[in-house]
Amino acid sequence: MVVREETDADRVRYGVDGATIDILALGRAVTGPKRDRMISSLKAQNPTLRVVDGLAPIPSIIVAQIREVVTAPNRDTRIVGAAAYESGDNSIVLLLRRPAHIDVTLHRLDPLYRVHETDVYTGPLDRGRQRLPLGRRVGRGERFLVVEADHETTVHPLG
């Protein structure tokens, strides 16, 4: 995998060969007409371009989102069918389509934009609904769950 970083939208539109790009990852600050022009310019050169809209300004989340596009492109056949945070009993709930070795990490962006990372679980889990207790309370802010299931990555915004 080759990564190219560019922060100037015009240089992307006019200076990047879109035919050489398979995945375009955009931070959530890239919005509106600037975003649309950039995507349409690159897609004109590569119609199969996949676009990843970054959920948070957390590098590990964006990397996980890119891995999701590469390792688990079809939502209907992914190992992890759904993920949620249940505040009542302070746990993560996963719905697994088949047994798998799971690695679960909770990322949180607090109201001051500090990043917090909690390793939730690593090990085998069976098919079906699985509850993973967190042990300690999760603070306020935006929450994102990264689940690796048998080398398949999925990212779940939890709110």
Side-chain angles (χ1 to χ4, degrees), residues 97-139:
R97 291 189 171 104
R98 68 171 177 81
H101 184 273
I102 305 290
D103 188 12
V104 181
T105 306
L106 177 67
H107 299 267
R108 183 173 60 89
L109 190 62
D110 73 17
L112 298 175
Y113 275 75
R114 295 176 298 197
V115 177
H116 305 268
E117 185 175 306
T118 304
D119 292 325
V120 176
Y121 179 83
T122 298
L125 286 177
D126 205 357
R127 177 181 191 278
R129 183 179 165 95
Q130 304 295 328
R131 182 173 304 282
L132 306 172
L134 289 171
R136 62 180 178 89
R137 299 301 290 173
V138 176

Side-chain angles (χ1 to χ4, degrees), residues 36-109:
D36 297 340
R37 283 191 305 270
M38 189 182 320
I39 292 171
S40 64
S41 171
L42 293 173
K43 276 199 172 206
Q45 299 170 57
N46 179 1
T48 63
L49 177 75
R50 293 173 285 180
V51 178
V52 172
D53 289 309
L55 292 172
I58 304 172
S60 56
I61 293 291
I62 293 175
V63 169
Q65 286 184 265
I66 293 168
R67 290 181 64 199
E68 178 175 31
V69 167
V70 172
T71 66
N74 186 342
R75 289 192 179 277
D76 296 331
T77 61
R78 292 177 178 174
I79 296 168
V80 179
Y85 170 65
E86 294 198 358
S87 59
D89 66 352
N90 194 42
S91 65
I92 299 294
V93 176
L94 300 177
L95 181 59
L96 303 180
R97 291 189 171 104
R98 68 171 177 81
H101 184 273
I102 305 290
D103 188 12
V104 181
T105 306
L106 177 67
H107 299 267
R108 183 173 60 89
L109 190 62

